[in-house]
Amino acid sequence: MVTRVFTKYVAVMRRLQTLYRLEPAGSHGVWGLDDYCFLPFYWGASQLVHHDRIKPRSIHVDDILELFGDDYLYLSSVKFVKQVKKGNLSETSPMLNDISGVLNWGKVNTGLLKMYKVECLGKFPIMQHFLFGSILTLQ
């Protein structure tokens, strides 16, 4: 479902963001992964956990992003960040640059999940819009 439905959603979302020059709400600026979304990085890192050739440091190789950006959400997300934010990745997105120094995708994936829990699921301004019910409770 993620690789089919969610990737199409992300493509539409990115198109709208660039077409209408939408400003993100609650941006962390250069200290966030992406001003607009987090899940493509997490799910993208999950896709790459068992990849034997593409390493986290590969995000600095433009040919890798071009060749595999359509196949892997993480690479697609980095490619989008590089298109939107002009300049060196270490200056425009230092967090992405730092993550590229991690040795393997398993550690990247684990770290991103922890970050998602704190930065998204742990924030009331985000979770107040989430629909809770009897299966998924607020507790």
Side-chain angles (χ1 to χ4, degrees):
M1 181 144 141
V2 170
T3 57
R4 291 209 169 94
V5 177
F6 187 72
T7 54
K8 288 181 183 359
Y9 164 75
V10 170
V12 169
M13 185 177 63
R14 288 177 182 161
R15 176 74 178 128
L16 291 172
Q17 290 162 356
T18 54
L19 180 67
Y20 295 108
R21 298 182 185 145
L22 298 175
E23 292 291 325
S27 172
H28 287 287
V30 299
W31 300 109
L33 287 177
D34 178 1
D35 289 336
Y36 299 98
C37 55
F38 190 99
L39 285 176
F41 288 97
Y42 172 68
W43 284 331
S46 297
Q47 283 181 294
L48 292 162
V49 165
H50 298 294
H51 201 287
D52 57 344
R53 294 201 175 144
I54 298 176
K55 304 295 181 196
R57 68 179 175 269
S58 300
I59 67 166
H60 297 289
V61 182
D62 290 334
D63 288 342
I64 298 281
L65 297 178
E66 285 301 317
L67 289 171
F68 300 105
D70 292 337
D71 299 325
Y72 297 101
L73 274 168
Y74 193 94
L75 300 179
S76 170
S77 299
V78 172
K79 184 178 168 183
F80 180 70
V81 168
K82 284 185 166 188
Q83 289 171 350
V84 174
K85 296 181 178 183
K86 301 299 180 199
N88 190 338
L89 198 60
S90 63
E91 295 170 1
T92 61
S93 299
M95 187 174 290
L96 280 177
N97 189 60
D98 290 348
I99 290 171
S100 72
V102 176
L103 295 178
N104 63 64
W105 289 109
K107 289 184 179 186
V108 170
N109 190 259
T110 301
L112 289 176
L113 180 58
K114 289 177 184 176
M115 188 176 169
Y116 185 71
K117 287 178 180 177
V118 171
E119 294 295 327
C120 296
L121 299 179
K123 303 287 183 181
F124 179 75
I126 294 170
M127 294 309 295
Q128 70 182 348
H129 302 289
F130 200 86
L131 295 176
F132 292 97
S134 59
I135 296 173
L136 184 61
T137 64
L138 182 59
Q139 287 14 342

